[in-house]
Amino acid sequence: VRATRGGEEVRGYAPSMGQIFLRRFQMVTQFRQALEEGQVSVHYQPKVSLPGKQVVGVEALVRWVHPEFGRINPDEFVPAVEAAGLVGALTSFVLDEALARVRRWLDEGIEISVAVNLSVRSLADEGFAAQVADALARYDVPARLLTFELTESAVMADPQRALPILGELHELGIELAVDDFGTGYSSLAYLRRLPVDQVKIDKSFVFGMGTDLGDLAVVRSIVELGHSLGLSVVAEGVEDDASRDQLEAMGCDVAQGYLISRPLAEDRLEAWLQARTARSLGHRDETVLTL
Ligand code: C2E
Ligand code: MG
Ligand code: MG
Ligand code: MG
């Protein structure tokens, strides 16, 4: 809420700098304890193929329910945790949860891959690939069922350090995706040099593609660029049928967004997958899920 009083802008309800600082300080100092106490969990958002509608994977998205602040958005706490040098603990927590999930699916005879978001800090940690190899071995999960999503800016922050680590991860057989594509440097030359398999079109363009010709053009060019480089193209933020249909017509490979499902807690994801399988088996004309 904004009001002007005596020429000065007054923001009602907006927290003061002191409050923002204190909250950030508390988040950082309490993060490890939060992990131990079970305040932090992982939700999963399904990704489906176009036009087949098969579930090709899920993205792991971290959630923190703080005893005082309630739900804290990862867009707020992940950068704070990163800046405090604690992101290693976050990444290994999410990776363990995600691999444990994939392991349970494998035990049920189901193959679904999981994508984990990586921070710029992990791409500067020389021991990271070894740590990931160890986690895959501990859960006995094949590397091809793991994808790492990294933003362009994470890679471009220090490409000299990031590239060898990405190379090692790729050598292990892990899929690599460039997240939020179109919002960063968009250095096409680098995209060619990166050992990536997938680009994810940033949701801001997908939201706008139905009404804004500029956004539509960006989406179309990313699909074409991705395909011409031999990459698979994923659209995030698919919220309505119209965008889904347009993406399908353009040849975009995979869709993720509220239209398909919001990120779900583990038990709700299980229910969602079961309902989908039951539905597709009930209708002979629909594609049968390979679940
Ligand atoms: P991201 O990796 O680009 O993840 C996609 C974000 O878009 C998620 O927000 C997801 O909930 C949201 N989203 C997906 N489909 C839709 C849609 O149709 N409409 C709308 N309005 N939103 C949609 P979320 O979960 O709040 O995560 C925000 C960001 O926080 C992520 O962006 C990622 O950069 C970061 N993040 C989340 N989990 C982790 C993690 O475990 N580690 C690290 N390093 N970063 C994480
Ligand atoms: Mg992501
Ligand atoms: Mg994204
Ligand atoms: Mg994002």
Side-chain angles (χ1 to χ4, degrees):
V1 175
R2 290 176 181 203
T4 312
R5 203 179 289 153
E8 241 180 302
E9 191 183 65
V10 180
R11 289 177 195 212
Y13 312 127
S16 70
M17 284 306 285
Q19 281 169 313
I20 290 171
F21 182 81
L22 183 64
R23 181 177 155 108
R24 203 176 156 98
F25 178 78
Q26 282 177 293
M27 285 190 309
V28 164
T29 52
Q30 295 168 355
F31 184 69
R32 277 187 190 279
Q33 196 190 345
L35 282 177
E36 283 160 20
E37 290 181 355
Q39 296 168 27
V40 181
S41 66
V42 177
H43 284 203
Y44 298 92
Q45 188 176 33
K47 299 181 188 177
V48 298
S49 65
L50 293 173
K53 297 178 191 168
Q54 290 175 329
V55 178
V56 293
V58 294
E59 178 174 6
L61 294 157
V62 68
R63 295 291 178 261
W64 183 358
V65 182
H66 187 278
E68 184 187 338
F69 305 138
R71 285 168 187 274
I72 315 176
N73 194 330
D75 279 328
E76 181 183 3
F77 76 84
V78 173
V81 162
E82 261 174 13
L86 295 172
V87 85
L90 169 69
T91 305
S92 60
F93 173 79
V94 175
L95 186 61
D96 275 28
E97 289 284 307
L99 293 178
R101 179 63 275 174
V102 174
R103 179 69 256 162
R104 285 194 294 277
W105 279 324
L106 287 171
D107 291 341
E108 295 165 22
I110 300 167
E111 275 202 8
I112 297 179
S113 78
V114 72
V116 171
N117 290 283
L118 278 195
S119 140
V120 56
R121 299 279 173 135
S122 306
L123 296 183
D125 174 358
E126 277 162 26
F128 185 67
Q131 188 195 318
V132 174
D134 174 66
L136 287 167
R138 260 188 294 121
Y139 289 96
D140 192 19
V141 166
R144 67 185 159 76
L145 295 180
L146 177 64
T147 301
F148 281 127
E149 299 190 359
L150 18 106
T151 59
E152 291 166 81
S153 43
V155 178
M156 304 311 265
D158 191 351
Q160 305 279 68
R161 285 184 89 166
L163 275 169
I165 295 168
L166 292 178
E168 281 179 78
L169 294 170
H170 207 243
E171 276 296 290
L172 289 173
I174 295 163
E175 297 245 328
L176 299 176
V178 181
D179 207 347
D180 300 349
F181 193 78
T183 57
Y185 296 70
S186 296
S187 168
L188 304 182
Y190 261 105
L191 191 59
R192 256 189 67 225
R193 287 179 43 194
L194 293 176
V196 296
D197 309 283
Q198 210 182 85
V199 278
K200 292 189 79 177
I201 309 171
D202 190 67
K203 56 181 180 288
S204 59
F205 305 112
V206 178
F207 290 157
M209 65 187 281
T211 48
D212 185 312
L213 287 176
D215 286 339
L216 183 64
V218 171
V219 171
R220 195 183 298 281
S221 339
I222 297 175
V223 173
E224 280 165 15
L225 169 77
H227 286 166
S228 65
L229 293 175
L231 307 174
S232 121
V233 183
V234 181
E236 63 173 27
V238 181
E239 292 191 345
D240 52 64
D241 284 309
S243 350
R244 202 206 70 95
D245 294 347
Q246 263 177 317
L247 287 161
E248 187 182 323
M250 280 177 204
C252 180
D253 306 284
V254 174
Q256 176 182 356
Y258 292 175
L259 175 72
I260 296 112
S261 169
R262 288 184 177 253
L264 302 170
E266 216 171 321
D267 51 338
R268 296 193 55 203
L269 173 71
E270 285 300 282
W272 185 89
L273 287 169
Q274 270 164 23
R276 245 184 113 83
T277 313
R279 207 173 52 225
S280 76
L281 293 174
H283 296 281
R284 289 260 156 238
D285 50 325
E286 263 186 53
T287 315
V288 176
L289 295 182
T290 53
L291 288 175

